[in-house]
Amino acid sequence: MRKQQKTSPGPVWMKPANASFRDPGTQVFFSEGEVYRAIRAAGLSHYRAFMQGGLYDFLAKDGLIVTHEEMPSSGEVVIKPQRVPFISYPYEWCFSALKTAALNTLAIQKLCLDHHMTLQDATAFNLQYLDGRWVFIDTGSFHTQEKPQPWGAYRQFCQHFLAPLLLMTYGDGRLLSLFERNLDGIPLDLASRLLPLKAKSRFAVLLHIVMHGKFALKDFERPAAGASESGNFSSASAYGLIDQLQSLVQSLDLKRKETAWTSYETEHTYDTEEFRDKEEFVSKALATLSCQTVWDFGANTGHFSRLAAARAGIAPVAFENDFMTAEAGYRQSLSVRHNRPLHLWMDLTNPTPGRGWADEEWNSLSARGPADMVLALAVVHHLCLGANIPLPRVAGYLRTVARHVVIEFVPKDDPQSQRLLKSRADIYDSYTQENFEAAMQAHFTLIARHAVSRTGRTLYVFKTR
């Protein structure tokens, strides 16, 4: 399955990835838009066992791991993984995305046991969205294991996956935001305090969260199930742990509830013909500009993200501030067969900043751009009238994250704008179509403009200067 390249990635050593410095066994590098991973001496024997023992082939066949090819290199082994078009972080995901990533991690660990190996890491950051699937990207995380042992990444799995999933199931989806403050996963003692008695009365939750959290506070690990006083650990116990975790995760689900925005996409002021006109305008822009990366700001349940996905070669990312609406969009997009959009939970007035060591380990949203195209449909009035962001600042930010923008101006007297102004004083004299166009043309060149509704909504295509 591995192909040979003609040249060695010499320049790769010049730019190590900011998020790849903790593992002495491997190191990720970038060169000319491509990603490479060097397998160091400390990880070489594990990598060879991973490749030669058949585990890589099993995982690749099942679509559970990013595939790679080995590169000719002197000294260290260098591999070139398939490039993930957009790196996302678990505190941006929907509930269903985190659940799927959790189940994939457990499925991978079970296959590891079949091949006398183990996942050294169970961090959610090792899963990424590629071709509509959540795949494991850390090739260096697979280590040999001569005999059954307690899973070293068990606590990390509980903190990264189980704790947030339980909090969202029994509490509120927005509790996922605790993950952003706790990059090594939500502390188990904190999760235990926040979970209701109904959750903690379940034996599996009591075992994996409550009791596990108490032992973690004491900096003491309880002997794993199946371990005897002599330190032996049975193969049945190793598989049993994974089976129990799989059963618990599979049983969790997010309570469906309506918010102010879950039905917003179907409550627009367009009639059928006007909405079709809007779709045609966006489709023409996508076709004319031949974009590969498309970010959909204020995507709601992702109708226009799926419209973009219908074009070959496009990998849409849909950003939505309302957690339940983002979750609904994620589930709706499961029906898309190709270029399935990635739905993320994000507030555009407070987009993801740089996180981790030196604020550089995990990139801000801006650092992950610019996108070839940003769709900003029915979002400007929310930013300006709902969040008091001046038009010049909206335009300036779009300039940093987009090469092209398809954007909609919604006038102040539109019913949806009036909805935003219903409970606040109208202090927005500068919110006019003339000022909007001036703000955008300070950073962009106007390509197309089209009035699209009887309420005065207008669509634009802009290109950065």
Side-chain angles (χ1 to χ4, degrees):
M1 298 182 69
R2 291 168 284 164
K3 301 178 182 179
Q4 294 294 319
Q5 295 289 316
K6 295 181 179 180
T7 59
S8 174
V12 76
W13 315 113
M14 297 171 59
K15 190 176 181 182
N18 290 332
S20 179
F21 62 88
R22 299 179 186 270
D23 185 358
T26 69
Q27 172 72 59
V28 175
F29 298 89
F30 295 106
S31 176
E32 299 178 353
E34 300 291 347
V35 60
Y36 301 90
R37 184 184 294 271
I39 312 297
R40 302 293 173 82
L44 188 56
S45 63
H46 301 295
Y47 170 76
R48 290 303 186 202
F50 173 61
M51 296 301 297
Q52 297 170 8
L55 180 55
Y56 169 81
D57 292 332
F58 270 97
L59 295 173
K61 180 181 178 182
D62 290 344
L64 291 171
I65 190 171
V66 65
T67 58
H68 70 260
E69 52 187 305
E70 284 191 13
M71 309 293 293
S73 177
S74 58
E76 298 170 329
V77 172
V78 176
I79 63 175
K80 180 183 177 183
Q82 185 179 357
R83 186 70 185 265
V84 177
F86 182 87
I87 298 296
S88 62
Y89 305 129
Y91 41 81
E92 301 170 339
W93 299 350
C94 304
F95 174 90
S96 294
L98 188 65
K99 179 178 177 178
T100 300
L103 291 171
N104 285 2
T105 300
L106 294 172
I108 292 169
Q109 174 61 8
K110 186 175 283 189
L111 283 169
C112 284
L113 296 176
D114 293 343
H115 291 80
H116 306 290
M117 299 197 79
T118 187
L119 273 182
Q120 179 180 249
D121 303 299
T123 166
F125 290 94
N126 277 345
L127 279 291
Q128 290 298 327
Y129 198 71
L130 179 64
D131 297 333
R133 300 177 64 93
W134 289 98
V135 299
F136 197 85
I137 63 169
D138 186 4
T139 310
S141 188
F142 297 89
H143 280 213
T144 54
Q145 185 172 266
E146 294 182 3
K147 60 181 181 179
Q149 297 177 15
W151 189 20
Y154 164 54
R155 182 186 298 178
Q156 190 176 52
F157 177 86
C158 292
Q159 293 177 166
H160 279 241
F161 293 106
L162 191 55
L165 287 171
L166 283 164
L167 289 172
M168 288 189 282
T169 295
Y170 288 97
D172 191 291
R174 293 169 294 182
L175 289 173
L176 180 65
S177 61
L178 291 171
F179 208 148
E180 189 170 4
R181 178 63 180 82
N182 300 277
L183 295 181
D184 197 28
I186 298 175
L188 301 184
D189 66 305
L190 176 60
S192 179
R193 292 177 185 177
L194 293 175
L195 286 171
L197 182 60
K198 178 182 178 181
K200 291 185 283 189
S201 64
R202 296 182 62 174
F203 175 75
V205 177
L206 179 66
L207 177 63
H208 299 301
I209 297 294
V210 180
M211 299 305 297
H212 197 174
K214 288 183 178 180
F215 284 112
L217 282 176
K218 296 178 181 179
D219 195 26
F220 174 77
E221 286 286 356
R222 184 181 69 167
S228 69
E229 293 182 0
S230 62
N232 293 326
F233 186 79
S234 69
S235 177
S237 295
Y239 283 99
L241 173 64
I242 304 305
D243 288 339
Q244 190 176 60
L245 290 171
Q246 283 179 321
S247 179
L248 177 55
V249 171
Q250 191 64 61
S251 72
L252 302 178
D253 200 3
L254 192 66
K255 296 177 183 177
R256 313 294 173 85
K257 59 182 179 181
E258 293 294 320
T259 70
W261 308 111
T262 48
S263 59
Y264 183 76
E265 192 168 271
T266 59
E267 295 178 353
H268 51 68
T269 57
Y270 294 107
D271 61 29
T272 302
E273 185 176 344
E274 289 171 342
F275 193 71
R276 188 180 299 114
D277 191 23
K278 180 176 179 178
E279 290 178 321
E280 291 177 357
F281 183 88
V282 175
S283 295
K284 182 178 179 180
L286 290 166
T288 303
L289 299 173
S290 301
C291 298
Q292 292 183 314
T293 55
V294 174
W295 293 1
D296 188 358
F297 283 173
N300 202 265
T301 55
H303 177 85
F304 285 94
S305 292
R306 290 186 287 276
L307 188 70
R311 305 201 64 83
I314 291 181
V317 185
F319 300 88
E320 172 55 42
N321 180 39
D322 184 73
F323 188 87
M324 293 305 300
T325 303
E327 171 70 15
Y330 183 90
R331 297 190 188 208
Q332 288 181 30
S333 287
L334 292 177
S335 62
V336 176
R337 301 189 64 178
H338 303 289
N339 304 330
R340 185 179 295 164
L342 169 61
H343 289 258
L344 298 179
W345 177 43
M346 192 178 298
D347 181 358
L348 291 180
T349 67
N350 183 28
T352 301
R355 305 291 296 178
W357 180 251
D359 296 329
E360 295 179 343
E361 197 169 354
W362 312 114
N363 285 332
S364 68
L365 176 61
S366 298
R368 286 174 274 174
D372 292 335
M373 178 182 289
V374 164
L375 303 179
L377 305 172
V379 70
V380 172
H381 60 304
H382 286 282
L383 297 175
C384 297
L385 305 181
N388 288 23
I389 309 296
L391 282 168
R393 293 214 173 231
V394 173
Y397 178 70
L398 290 173
R399 174 64 179 83
T400 68
V401 296
R403 296 186 177 93
H404 301 86
V405 179
V406 176
I407 192 167
E408 180 176 14
F409 180 78
V410 179
K412 196 192 297 185
D413 56 0
D414 183 274
Q416 295 295 358
S417 294
Q418 288 299 307
R419 178 181 177 183
L420 293 172
L421 293 171
K422 188 175 182 179
S423 60
R424 63 181 67 198
D426 185 353
I427 58 173
Y428 307 101
D429 293 340
S430 62
Y431 183 78
T432 66
Q433 189 162 356
E434 180 181 6
N435 287 341
F436 165 78
E437 292 181 359
M440 290 298 294
Q441 292 185 85
H443 301 278
F444 298 88
T445 298
L446 177 63
I447 296 177
R449 172 173 46 203
H450 180 61
V452 75
S453 81
R454 64 187 183 281
T455 64
R457 294 188 177 211
T458 306
L459 296 171
Y460 298 81
V461 180
F462 289 100
K463 179 180 180 181
T464 55
R465 291 181 174 175

